[in-house]
Amino acid sequence: MKSQEIRSKFLNFFEGKQHLIVPSAPMVLKDDPTLMFVNSGMAPFKEYFLGNAEPKKNRISDSQKCLRVSGKHNDLEEVGYDTYHHTLFEMLGNWSFGDYFKKEAIAWAWELLTEVYGIDKDILYVTVFEGSDDADKLKMDTEAYDIWKQYISEDRILKGNKKDNFWEMGDQGPCGPCSEIHVDIRSKEERAKVDGKTLINMDHPHVVEVWNLVFMEYNRRANGSLEALPNKHIDTGMGFERLCMVLQGVQSNYDTDVFTPIIREIETITDKKYGNNEEVDVAIRVISDHVRAVAFSIADGQLPSNTGAGYVIRRILRRAVRYGFTFLDKKEPLIYRLVDVLSKKMGDAFPELKAQKQLIENVIKEEEASFLRTLDQGLVLLNRIVEETKGDTVSGEKAFELYDTYGFPIDLTALILSEKNLKLDEKGFKEELEKQKKRSRSASETSTEDWTILIEDDVEEFIGYDTLEANVRITRYRKVTSKKDGEMYQLVFNLTPFYAEGGGQIGDKGFLEDISGDVVYILDTKKENNVIIHFTKELPEHINESFKAVVNNEHRALSSSNHTATHLLHQALRTILGEHVEQKGSLVKPKSLRFDFSHFSKVTPEQLQEIEDFVNARIEGKLPLEEERNIPMEKAIEEGAMALFGEKYGDTVRTIRFGNSIELCGGIHVKNTSDIWHFKIVSEGAVAAGIRRIEGITNKAVKDYFSENNAAYLEMKGLLNNAKEPVKALENLQDENNDLKKQIEGLLKDKAKNIIGELKNELTEINGVHFLAKKLDLDASGIKDVCFDLGSQFDNLVLLFGAENDGKAILSCYISKELVASKGLNAGAIVRELGKHIQGGGGGQPFFATAGGKNPAGIEAALEAAKGYL
Ligand code: SER
């Protein structure tokens, strides 16, 4: 059975059991501080379990893309070494939100596996939770046990501990006991020899868990305690790739048709064979797994970067590059070439891959090329470290510097050292790593208290599209302490006029005022899943009373102005640059706006002018805001609104129209484009391969911009003696300046020539080597000329010159090539050593190198040391 058919059989089965089939949610989470990526099928439905939102239907089923590379569930380092763990995998799931429970979940799982997929009952085992006598004091799940007894003999029902049979999504959140279904795909003979029961949860590659049925009934609170959820739910997750392995009769996920096309392509590109050599196999598995994770993330709008989720993606990609570099001898980009097969294989089930293929390829290629350059530079640095190592061990500190500053992977360092018969001080390296972790941990540590509930409220209502003020009650609050912000309070209201950060627009600010006129400032508003959270520095005194909540009007108005300009800019880009332009991110603040979009070349100054004019024409056209709330998604798309990849939309959406610009948007906008006053682009540049960024300003910021520029212009004109044509006057000055520079260079060159005559006479001969160490009154380039001039006249020459330029010290060392070869002298090593005297460092080639430092007083000492050195 092909993988496509396996997936659709699952979904059809649950559709037949009255489940609503939904597409996979985006993998990268935006509004959840406790989770970076969807790490299990249930994560997108978390709010339904907690009762913070209502599902469309109380039975849902889907195939969800999941990524387990950070936090509680992290499989990254195992991937490649075994045949059944992945970074990205598909989780097939069925959900009951307060509807059916254990009886149906177990019956249907059994029916699907044994009757629809026809898996032999003799190779199946199940587990149930045995209970725990720790602080949670949980009882054994006898209910599940008794249900399973009806389907499978009792010797195949195993009792499992909390680690395997009590499922928790993270440190906090919904959880409950679970029953896992395991499959033993070993040969008949092997099964007869060793009882499959003894291999359950023992990391055996052919006795694996395929399906987990979770019976959600608790919520884990921040203080570690469990509380009962208002309703009982079902969350099941089946590993799609493992199921394919079982149904396709193969012994590894990588031998299923999910992976084989990618593996064949790697074989073609690298000229290596899968299945002959363990190191090569690991590398091929790593790459074929990681390309999926990275491609899906980029399709969801998460580009590799230096922070947060982007950094995790960058690390996954670099891990793949490193394995290709080391074990497949591939020193040029290769992973981007796999995107084509991947999108052919999975593009029907996940159309985002097909739609964004070119962007995914470009981004991966650029990232690969840049990391390969890092690896090259790292190799040069590592060779230098090796040269300078006395004894047989490279210090942990040096290896850490290479890893931390240059991003050179430590396992590669260890491998190269062992090839050179050197050792790595691994203990020292680990100590450095630990120190660094401690530093960053203490910088990012936050502690979040549990909510204090004041009023049991259903869902908080946002009324801020229509009003900036409202009477509100605080329904719950909690304290959050972090290094960055100190102590803060987070408040939730029964209803709120405050807009929470979202869709690129930052959150509202404002205040709460109680009846006696006491005020507490709201510093920011953010969303956590569906809950709008208001941030304050202090807790209002009369917390149980009602407050007047007031949004800061100017902050809101300026943000709105920039937000509307962003929509007009988007329209301008698609009109002027082409329909390939897609929004890839935006940041809308009161002072400025930022818009990232896909486009493969620099936007020319003429195009930028055209774009600016396009937007300003619409501002001058005084276009009114036309807003539609709660319209069906299909209708919005029909009307011309574009859905963005990686965004989560409900069934009904809000559309914002200004003239012909129409967007799906939850943000705040001006009532008329004339409120924007004017739009000005202030910069254009690249963010990543194929992604450009435009920064712009509107409204008050444009007025400030013009008046500041005008003031600077008048000042400049004054400095040019109020010249009638200031630009011309400036050009004249520049020309004059260039002429003078040239004259000085010429004079210095003449001076260097004269000096050479004198220096020749000062050369001494030590052991057949011509040598001179001296302080010169020349700049670095003059000294270089002197060195090479003398070098062309004398063999066996060693020169060390010092000079003081603008209060800084420089040292230059020249060594004839024949001495480099015969005596192993190295100018780079010499200047690095002598650089200590001038409190600096440097480097270069073995025959010529320079060092710069901040201590000119040390030049004499360096010259003296050089004499001794020789
Ligand atoms: N949440 C459970 C898991 O991820 C079942 O979906 O294993």
Side-chain angles (χ1 to χ4, degrees):
M1 211 184 294
K2 287 254 181 272
S3 53
Q4 269 103 326
E5 195 185 338
I6 295 175
R7 192 188 291 111
S8 39
K9 276 213 154 113
F10 180 92
L11 298 174
N12 292 342
F13 177 81
F14 281 104
E15 197 167 28
K17 309 278 183 209
Q18 289 77 49
H19 285 63
L20 175 73
I21 309 303
V22 300
S24 173
M27 203 169 60
V28 188
L29 291 165
K30 295 194 172 122
D31 294 329
D32 191 340
T34 63
L35 207 59
M36 218 178 243
F37 301 102
V38 168
N39 63 357
S40 60
M42 59 77 68
F45 304 124
K46 197 171 94 170
E47 292 300 280
Y48 303 153
F49 291 120
L50 290 172
N52 289 334
E54 285 282 316
K56 272 183 247 173
K57 191 168 177 190
N58 54 15
R59 293 181 184 191
I60 284 183
S61 177
D62 70 358
S63 173
Q64 171 66 42
K65 35 192 184 179
C66 301
L67 200 58
R68 289 202 170 165
V69 289
S70 59
K72 189 174 172 75
H73 299 280
N74 185 350
D75 294 333
L76 183 60
E77 292 309 321
E78 272 148 84
V79 172
Y81 288 93
D82 67 26
T83 50
Y84 57 101
H85 275 100
H86 299 291
T87 52
L88 173 122
F89 61 97
E90 276 180 68
M91 199 180 253
L92 303 167
N94 55 295
W95 283 273
S96 151
F97 304 108
D99 184 22
Y100 62 84
F101 203 46
K102 293 182 193 178
K103 193 165 101 266
E104 294 83 350
I106 291 175
W108 291 339
W110 191 254
E111 182 187 338
L112 177 65
L113 291 182
T114 58
E115 288 171 29
V116 178
Y117 289 134
I119 298 177
D120 180 359
K121 291 176 188 161
D122 290 345
I123 64 168
L124 294 173
Y125 293 86
V126 301
T127 62
V128 296
F129 181 45
E130 66 183 5
S132 75
D133 47 17
D134 58 3
D136 290 336
K137 298 248 174 318
L138 292 158
K139 289 209 200 82
M140 176 183 155
D141 191 355
T142 47
E143 192 188 345
Y145 190 92
D146 290 340
I147 300 170
W148 276 120
K149 261 186 351 197
Q150 302 168 32
Y151 301 100
I152 186 168
S153 64
E154 283 188 62
D155 65 330
R156 287 173 173 267
I157 310 177
L158 284 80
K159 293 176 195 156
N161 61 19
K162 214 168 173 190
K163 182 179 138 283
D164 296 319
N165 283 90
F166 191 85
W167 200 83
E168 309 203 35
M169 187 190 64
D171 294 334
Q172 279 165 259
C175 53
C178 59
S179 248
E180 297 173 342
I181 303 172
H182 294 253
V183 181
D184 180 355
I185 54 170
R186 292 172 305 148
S187 66
K188 252 204 174 106
E189 297 72 45
E190 279 177 277
R191 278 191 278 136
K193 262 191 254 151
V194 181
D195 189 350
K197 202 158 69 180
T198 61
L199 299 174
I200 302 293
N201 280 327
M202 299 302 279
D203 287 331
H204 191 290
H206 303 137
V207 184
V208 292
E209 173 200 344
V210 280
W211 203 347
N212 190 10
L213 316 181
V214 185
F215 314 122
M216 293 281 183
E217 42 183 321
Y218 302 106
N219 177 35
R220 172 82 62 195
R221 291 159 53 103
N223 68 10
S225 66
L226 289 179
E227 66 183 356
L229 288 171
N231 289 307
K232 291 181 178 177
H233 316 279
I234 287 294
D235 150 28
T236 87
M238 174 140 66
F240 173 66
E241 296 76 8
R242 289 185 189 178
L243 178 65
C244 290
M245 165 172 83
V246 175
L247 297 182
Q248 294 181 357
V250 291
Q251 300 274 304
S252 153
N253 289 1
Y254 294 89
D255 291 337
T256 65
D257 71 332
V258 178
F259 286 97
T260 44
I262 306 177
I263 293 180
R264 294 292 92 81
E265 190 68 18
I266 301 176
E267 289 180 325
T268 313
I269 297 172
T270 60
D271 221 3
K272 299 266 185 226
K273 268 258 100 1
Y274 182 64
N276 292 341
N277 169 304
E278 185 54 17
E279 275 181 349
V280 170
D281 291 355
V282 170
I284 291 182
R285 285 196 289 266
V286 164
I287 294 172
S288 62
D289 172 278
H290 290 10
V291 64
R292 294 174 8 116
V294 176
F296 273 95
S297 301
I298 298 172
D300 265 3
Q302 182 58 64
L303 300 180
S305 75
N306 264 341
T307 51
Y311 187 56
V312 176
I313 300 307
R314 174 165 282 170
R315 270 184 28 224
I316 299 174
L317 182 56
R318 288 184 168 186
R319 186 169 185 262
V321 175
R322 181 155 51 94
Y323 276 83
F325 182 89
T326 317
F327 301 114
L328 304 181
D329 303 325
K330 202 66 193 165
K331 313 292 182 219
E332 68 251 24
L334 111 98
I335 298 161
Y336 80 99
R337 292 170 66 183
L338 307 172
V339 175
D340 189 40
V341 246
L342 178 65
S343 89
K344 284 199 181 108
K345 180 77 214 164
M346 303 195 71
D348 288 337
F350 300 94
E352 63 271 31
L353 275 187
K354 261 193 197 159
Q356 308 200 70
K357 188 176 145 247
Q358 200 191 348
L359 174 77
I360 300 170
E361 284 172 341
N362 283 342
V363 172
I364 296 186
K365 185 178 180 190
E366 178 62 34
E367 274 283 314
E368 281 190 85
S370 126
F371 188 54
L372 285 165
R373 281 195 294 276
T374 303
L375 289 181
D376 269 343
Q377 284 161 5
L379 284 180
V380 172
L381 292 171
L382 183 57
N383 282 337
R384 195 174 287 163
I385 293 174
V386 168
E387 266 172 38
E388 288 166 3
T389 299
K390 301 188 178 83
D392 66 350
T393 308
V394 166
S395 78
E397 225 171 285
K398 281 249 183 309
F400 182 76
E401 190 186 323
L402 200 58
Y403 162 83
D404 190 41
T405 320
Y406 303 97
F408 197 74
I410 188 66
D411 49 359
L412 202 53
T413 303
L415 187 80
I416 293 169
L417 292 183
S418 76
E419 281 166 8
K420 295 186 192 283
N421 288 325
L422 284 172
K423 279 189 238 143
L424 167 70
D425 171 14
E426 285 184 26
K427 192 165 156 270
F429 175 79
K430 283 195 186 126
E431 279 166 12
E432 293 297 321
L433 194 64
E434 220 18 72
K435 273 192 232 161
Q436 188 216 37
K437 276 197 189 146
K438 246 196 197 141
R439 282 193 297 271
S440 60
R441 223 181 288 139
S442 71
S444 66
E445 235 160 53
T446 28
S447 77
T448 309
E449 288 183 359
D450 280 317
W451 290 108
T452 302
I453 311 281
L454 300 178
I455 303 171
E456 284 293 349
D457 185 43
D458 26 345
V459 181
E460 184 186 25
E461 194 190 346
F462 174 62
I463 52 168
Y465 292 136
D466 306 309
T467 176
L468 293 179
E469 253 186 64
N471 277 327
V472 307
R473 298 285 300 271
I474 299 173
T475 57
R476 53 173 142 151
Y477 70 89
R478 67 182 175 190
K479 186 159 89 179
V480 177
T481 316
S482 70
K483 252 234 156 89
K484 193 169 140 257
D485 300 320
E487 274 186 7
M488 294 282 276
Y489 288 89
Q490 302 186 345
L491 317 179
V492 179
F493 307 155
N494 56 338
L495 48 86
T496 181
F498 282 78
Y499 176 75
E501 180 178 311
Q505 180 169 347
I506 67 165
D508 277 337
K509 290 180 196 294
F511 61 86
L512 282 184
E513 188 182 323
D514 68 12
I515 316 174
S516 53
D518 284 344
V519 158
V520 165
Y521 288 97
I522 291 176
L523 306 175
D524 201 358
T525 313
K526 286 192 173 153
K527 236 185 189 172
E528 195 172 307
N529 300 303
N530 282 334
V531 183
I532 297 173
I533 296 178
H534 310 80
F535 290 73
T536 63
K537 247 325 188 194
E538 53 193 317
L539 212 51
E541 206 185 320
H542 308 286
I543 193 132
N544 288 306
E545 286 167 20
S546 88
F547 295 87
K548 189 162 86 178
V550 182
V551 174
N552 178 323
N553 192 4
E554 189 185 350
H555 185 271
R556 160 77 79 92
L558 293 177
S559 298
S560 309
S561 173
N562 281 327
H563 201 152
T564 304
T566 312
H567 284 201
L568 299 177
L569 172 62
H570 190 191
Q571 190 195 2
L573 291 169
R574 286 177 62 88
T575 311
I576 293 160
L577 301 182
E579 295 276 306
H580 63 280
V581 167
E582 263 167 29
Q583 173 168 354
K584 285 291 160 210
S586 74
L587 177 63
V588 174
K589 299 194 288 187
K591 285 211 169 119
S592 60
L593 65 89
R594 192 170 92 187
F595 190 78
D596 296 346
F597 56 99
S598 49
H599 180 60
F600 297 108
S601 57
K602 193 170 169 51
V603 187
T604 64
E606 295 74 28
Q607 285 170 329
L608 285 176
Q609 190 58 55
E610 220 183 306
I611 291 163
E612 211 175 275
D613 293 346
F614 182 100
V615 173
N616 282 318
R618 272 137 198 88
I619 293 172
E620 284 151 27
K622 298 191 177 22
L623 306 174
L625 162 70
E626 295 169 73
E627 178 199 6
E628 280 190 286
R629 290 185 204 161
N630 295 322
I631 65 161
M633 179 73 168
E634 297 79 49
K635 182 158 177 262
I637 301 288
E638 251 166 50
E639 285 177 7
M642 211 174 91
L644 300 180
F645 291 108
E647 286 298 326
K648 226 166 127 182
Y649 298 102
D651 288 340
T652 60
V653 290
R654 175 173 178 253
T655 56
I656 294 293
R657 189 196 289 267
F658 288 98
N660 293 331
S661 147
I662 167 160
E663 301 224 5
L664 298 173
C665 181
I668 312 270
H669 288 271
V670 295
K671 295 276 176 276
N672 188 293
T673 55
S674 61
D675 298 342
I676 300 174
W677 190 71
H678 194 78
F679 168 66
K680 176 100 200 79
I681 293 175
V682 290
S683 77
E684 190 278 339
V687 200
I691 310 273
R692 312 290 306 177
R693 168 172 295 172
I694 282 183
E695 290 176 310
I697 49 176
T698 64
N699 215 303
K700 186 171 170 301
V702 176
K703 296 178 192 170
D704 292 347
Y705 175 88
F706 282 129
S707 53
E708 277 160 26
N709 273 358
N710 194 42
Y713 170 76
L714 291 177
E715 193 179 341
M716 190 179 76
K717 207 171 154 192
L719 290 172
L720 295 166
N721 295 327
N722 287 321
K724 269 216 184 69
E725 291 179 86
V727 175
K728 197 128 200 217
L730 199 58
E731 277 168 3
N732 288 343
L733 264 185
Q734 276 176 340
D735 288 346
E736 230 171 79
N737 192 28
N738 286 340
D739 286 347
L740 288 172
K741 266 196 199 145
K742 273 199 197 113
Q743 280 183 32
I744 292 176
E745 269 168 29
L747 289 171
L748 285 175
K749 277 223 157 67
D750 290 345
K751 188 170 160 197
K753 267 195 203 123
N754 296 337
I755 286 177
I756 286 170
E758 293 164 23
L759 295 181
K760 269 194 212 162
N761 299 330
E762 292 179 40
L763 285 176
T764 51
E765 211 179 308
I766 309 174
N767 300 334
V769 171
H770 295 109
F771 175 71
L772 178 60
K774 190 172 178 169
K775 189 169 171 187
L776 300 180
D777 185 14
L778 286 176
D779 65 357
S781 126
I783 294 182
K784 188 171 178 187
D785 289 344
V786 169
C787 287
F788 283 88
D789 199 316
L790 286 172
S792 69
Q793 300 183 40
F794 293 89
D795 293 333
N796 293 331
L797 183 66
V798 175
L799 300 171
L800 186 82
F801 293 130
E804 183 178 341
N805 286 173
D806 299 329
K808 301 225 168 68
I810 48 172
L811 292 177
S812 303
C813 180
Y814 177 92
I815 297 174
S816 304
K817 283 202 169 134
E818 59 276 11
L819 286 181
V820 173
S822 67
K823 294 222 164 28
L825 291 177
N826 185 326
I830 293 177
V831 292
R832 261 196 305 283
E833 179 67 31
L834 298 179
K836 290 177 192 150
H837 294 283
I838 55 166
Q839 286 176 22
Q845 311 276 7
F847 58 89
F848 182 74
T850 56
K854 51 184 181 225
N855 176 30
I859 291 176
E860 288 304 338
L863 298 175
E864 273 315 303
K867 287 174 197 159
Y869 195 81
L870 211 75

